[in-house]
Amino acid sequence: MATDQTAASTHRTDVLADRNDRIRRTLDHIRNDSTDSVDAVSTFTAQEYTDPAIARRERDAVFGAVPSIVCHGSEIPKPNDFITMRMPRNNVIIVRQRDHSVKAFVNLCRHRGALLEEQEKGRCRLFSCGYHRWSYDTDGSLRAITRDNTFGEIDRTRYGLVELPAQERHGFVWMVDDADAEIDVAGWLGTEMDGILAGYGMDRLVAARSEGFDEPVNWKIMQDAFLDGYHIQYAHPNTAAKHIHTNVMAVEDFGRHARFVAPRKTIDKYLEEPPAPDEDLSPYITETHFLLPNSTLLRQPDHFELLTFRPHPTDPARCRMEMRLVVPTLEDSGMDEERWNRIWDKNWKILLAVLHQEDFPLLRSSQAGMASADAGGMLLGRNEVINQIFHRELRKLVS
Ligand code: FES
Ligand SMILES: [Fe+2]
């Protein structure tokens, strides 16, 4: 036990030292007007944002092949709690089982194909179809065929809901949007990112606020914008740019996923006089994780923000963004309920205002720009490291 504790505290010290090294690198960058960079500028085309064949390939080779986060487990806390969503390939029901595991099903009645569950979220003992009232257990099995004395004999075991691979890990529910696929979230994350996420204990947190936005923008334009440290001063002069340095990043490339620290302006006090070697510098940064294929996880001093981006099932020029504020539970926070709600409401409103007033208008106009037939080639700079990683890894998945 004592050895375990020593190991755990050594691990914490290592994590802290490692983070401090990266933060010191951002201090050097601020002094030198530099940032981490990749070897070369890369190019891309407008077709990647408009071509239905490319969009289809992404739905199958990306969302139908690898795990992506669909919600936080706290959104379906009890057995029979469910949420529904439109994934790129399937309409989906995610439902908590009696043994507390999660399952995902195609949201479709196996009789004549009606959408089985119309509500976005809820709790039920049975999924019951509105058309001819067939019903299914929350474990997916076909429970009842109405007027079955007239319907005819079928093998009921073959007509349960179609199951999709889903798994809960690090507090989030992940799925692969293909019934024939398998899921291994730890394997997909790899040792480094799996270890990083494990260290955050997000399974003990709750999604205090969440909302989805259907935007007339390709999902990659959206994903790129929320990994972008280069636009802050120009797109967010009176909001984010007041707090965060523009175009300064210390990046770790884990070969598939990545993370970076961006310094807050409060770090400037250390430009002249360097911090003590053992001072915890994490209050002076934001730390952003890119989880391939479609998530940005921001680690703030006292909470996390998760942003996910999913293609529309048919239209390359549309997507759904979801934003979640993942925070300590009311009990763990030590706050009273009124204060807990007030704090997260305030955070949430600030995030929503920046999205709706600053990011979304720019991103809609990017999509409009991409509609030109003779757009010409476009560029990602050496300084746009995380975007380069996203595009590099996406290319591997679709090729
Ligand atoms: S389509 Fe569902 S019961 Fe007929
Ligand atoms: Fe932005």
Side-chain angles (χ1 to χ4, degrees):
M1 186 67 201
T3 355
D4 272 7
Q5 277 172 0
T6 317
S9 93
T10 311
H11 175 71
R12 268 196 303 279
T13 316
D14 288 351
V15 167
L16 190 69
D18 174 64
R19 183 176 298 129
N20 272 356
D21 284 347
R22 285 178 286 126
I23 297 172
R24 278 167 218 282
R25 201 154 91 221
T26 69
L27 270 171
D28 289 337
H29 282 320
I30 298 169
R31 283 191 203 101
N32 304 331
D33 190 21
S34 59
T35 183
D36 281 10
S37 61
V38 293
D39 294 338
V41 173
S42 72
T43 60
F44 62 91
T45 64
Q47 281 73 32
E48 294 170 51
Y49 302 87
T50 56
D51 181 343
I54 293 175
R56 171 169 204 136
R57 178 81 190 131
E58 287 173 352
R59 292 195 296 273
D60 292 341
V62 180
F63 293 86
V66 307
S68 63
I69 298 176
V70 290
C71 67
H72 190 266
S74 64
E75 294 168 70
I76 44 170
K78 299 223 168 76
N80 300 335
D81 283 346
F82 68 85
I83 57 171
T84 63
M85 66 189 63
R86 191 171 62 185
M87 289 293 284
R89 301 180 79 251
N90 290 292
N91 289 304
V92 174
I93 304 176
I94 316 268
V95 55
R96 175 85 54 196
Q97 302 295 295
R98 283 179 282 274
D99 67 1
H100 281 267
S101 65
V102 290
K103 280 188 191 290
F105 300 107
V106 177
N107 186 4
L108 167 128
C109 175
R110 297 296 302 283
H111 172 220
R112 296 241 303 269
L115 193 70
L116 181 59
E117 181 54 64
E118 305 261 1
Q119 293 185 80
E120 259 184 44
K121 67 184 298 182
R123 180 179 301 162
C124 66
R125 290 175 173 283
L126 288 173
F127 295 112
S128 163
C129 180
Y131 200 172
H132 313 89
R133 204 61 77 204
W134 284 27
S135 61
Y136 302 83
D137 193 277
T138 50
D139 70 7
S141 52
L142 174 58
R143 177 75 77 84
I145 296 175
T146 38
R147 307 199 182 217
D148 62 347
N149 57 322
T150 63
F151 189 81
E153 280 307 309
I154 59 157
D155 178 356
R156 294 184 184 215
T157 61
R158 291 182 52 210
Y159 289 90
L161 301 180
V162 175
E163 188 167 352
L164 296 157
Q167 203 186 338
E168 199 167 13
R169 191 168 180 84
H170 306 312
F172 294 105
V173 180
W174 311 65
M175 65 170 284
V176 182
D177 190 14
D178 181 335
D180 295 325
E182 297 195 345
I183 189 163
D184 170 12
V185 176
W188 172 246
L189 288 173
T191 320
E192 288 115 331
M193 189 52 82
D194 194 55
I196 287 168
L197 298 185
Y200 294 157
M202 292 181 290
D203 52 341
R204 297 189 301 274
L205 306 182
V206 289
R209 302 288 180 275
S210 74
E211 192 173 333
F213 315 95
D214 293 301
E215 280 295 302
V217 181
N218 182 280
W219 71 283
K220 300 187 295 287
I221 289 181
M222 299 277 275
Q223 175 66 79
D224 266 326
F226 294 93
L227 298 172
D228 183 325
Y230 182 27
H231 77 304
I232 299 172
Q233 184 181 329
Y234 315 105
H236 306 297
N238 300 312
T239 50
K242 294 236 185 286
H243 310 290
I244 307 278
H245 278 282
T246 298
N247 204 36
V248 181
M249 282 185 186
V251 181
E252 290 165 288
D253 179 355
F254 299 119
R256 181 182 282 158
H257 314 286
R259 97 176 143 172
F260 65 91
V261 295
R264 292 174 180 272
K265 293 206 164 159
T266 49
I267 208 169
D268 291 2
K269 68 176 183 185
Y270 290 130
L271 286 173
E272 300 299 314
E273 198 182 328
D278 57 347
E279 181 173 352
D280 176 10
L281 298 176
S282 40
Y284 301 100
I285 56 146
T286 62
E287 192 159 37
T288 304
H289 308 68
F290 168 57
L291 305 174
L292 186 72
N294 71 331
S295 302
T296 296
L297 177 72
L298 285 119
R299 176 177 175 271
Q300 305 287 5
D302 55 354
H303 70 279
F304 293 85
E305 292 152 18
L306 178 77
L307 313 172
T308 55
F309 309 91
R310 282 198 290 272
H312 184 274
T314 55
D315 185 349
R318 307 195 78 81
C319 77
R320 182 172 179 84
M321 168 178 175
E322 288 175 358
M323 179 163 75
R324 294 179 161 81
L325 204 58
V326 180
V327 314
T329 61
L330 181 58
E331 295 74 55
D332 289 347
S333 71
M335 296 179 208
D336 63 50
E337 193 169 350
E338 193 270 325
R339 180 167 144 80
W340 190 88
N341 275 311
R342 185 157 33 85
I343 284 175
W344 301 123
D345 272 338
K346 186 175 161 213
N347 261 275
W348 189 244
K349 283 199 183 111
I350 292 169
L351 290 170
L352 287 178
V354 172
L355 283 187
H356 288 292
Q357 289 160 29
E358 299 176 11
D359 284 309
F360 288 168
L362 278 170
L363 303 177
R364 287 177 201 146
S365 88
S366 287
Q367 186 68 36
M370 300 287 187
S372 288
D374 299 308
M378 285 162 284
L379 302 167
L380 277 176
R382 294 181 54 203
N383 57 332
E384 299 178 270
V385 178
I386 297 273
N387 306 89
Q388 294 251 19
I389 293 171
F390 169 42
H391 287 253
R392 178 192 77 197
E393 293 306 314
L394 195 59
R395 235 172 276 133
K396 287 185 201 162
L397 287 175
V398 296
S399 68

